[in-house]
Amino acid sequence: MAQEIKLRKAEIEDRDVIWNILQQAIERRRKDGSTQWQEGYPNLGTVESDIAKGFGYVMTVDGEISVYVALILNDEPAYSTIEGAWLSNGEFVVVHRVAVDEKFAGQGMVKILFDHIEQFTRSHGIQSIKVDTNFDNIPMLKILESKGYSYCGEVFLAGGVRKAFEKIIF
């Protein structure tokens, strides 16, 4: 039987589940030897702020939250300064804080998430998606490559240098 997979805005009632998923992801990054997310960010306050601002989204599988992501429209101050060049200067969706529940790890959920983000971007008439990740986040780097994102350069964010990518949607 096919699973029903949806992307929806996170609600305050989702906060504890989201925070648990982020804590799993923080620990996974640590075990992988990554420096990403090891300095107290993201935290519960980040989740609450994302939800309050309407940035927080969850992807559900048969109603169960499998992935958390923050989708921010046209607003990432760190992206105004890039060592390199973005592909476009139009409206964009920023992807931050992608985290998968352990229960769903290894099932291609982030690739499915990026398909949903592309649909979201198209439905809002937005030109492109911009995303950054740590240089040592190999799983995310591989996903971005597989989904057709172009490496644009480096941005300085959350106290470190990040690899920046963009994909033109239309």
Side-chain angles (χ1 to χ4, degrees):
M1 192 169 106
Q3 295 175 313
E4 182 182 42
I5 299 176
K6 292 183 175 174
L7 182 69
R8 68 165 172 83
K9 269 198 174 181
E11 305 289 337
I12 196 64
E13 298 79 38
D14 301 324
R15 180 190 65 188
D16 294 341
V17 173
I18 293 166
W19 178 229
N20 184 47
I21 291 170
L22 277 166
Q23 286 178 301
Q24 293 171 17
I26 289 165
E27 179 61 12
R28 205 162 37 246
R29 303 294 317 122
R30 188 189 66 75
K31 283 182 177 170
D32 288 347
S34 175
T35 58
Q36 189 171 4
W37 291 1
Q38 301 304 305
E39 304 292 324
Y41 164 90
N43 53 49
L44 186 57
T46 310
V47 173
E48 292 169 345
S49 175
D50 283 350
I51 293 170
K53 292 176 181 173
F55 298 160
Y57 283 81
V58 292
M59 191 170 77
T60 60
V61 177
D62 295 332
E64 185 177 358
I65 296 173
S66 61
V67 183
Y68 177 70
V69 64
L71 299 178
I72 305 165
L73 305 184
N74 300 313
D75 186 29
E76 177 46 76
Y79 286 6
S80 62
T81 308
I82 183 170
E83 298 260 336
W86 294 110
L87 302 177
S88 70
N89 294 315
E91 290 196 319
F92 58 95
V93 171
V94 178
V95 178
H96 277 324
R97 298 183 277 289
V98 174
V100 181
D101 189 302
E102 289 287 344
K103 248 190 299 196
F104 295 93
Q107 297 178 33
M109 288 295 150
V110 176
K111 287 184 178 182
I112 295 167
L113 173 71
F114 273 91
D115 292 341
H116 281 272
I117 293 169
E118 287 183 28
Q119 291 169 6
F120 171 91
T121 303
R122 263 189 218 93
S123 72
H124 285 77
I126 295 173
Q127 182 181 19
S128 77
I129 301 168
K130 295 180 180 180
V131 59
D132 67 85
T133 193
N134 222 45
F135 65 93
D136 62 5
N137 188 340
I138 304 305
M140 182 59 82
L141 291 169
K142 286 181 177 176
I143 288 166
L144 293 171
E145 181 182 350
S146 76
K147 299 307 273 178
Y149 283 74
S150 299
Y151 174 70
C152 295
E154 295 180 342
V155 294
F156 191 78
L157 192 75
V161 174
R162 308 282 185 180
K163 289 185 171 229
F165 296 84
E166 184 175 14
K167 183 173 183 178
I168 303 294
I169 300 304
F170 65 85

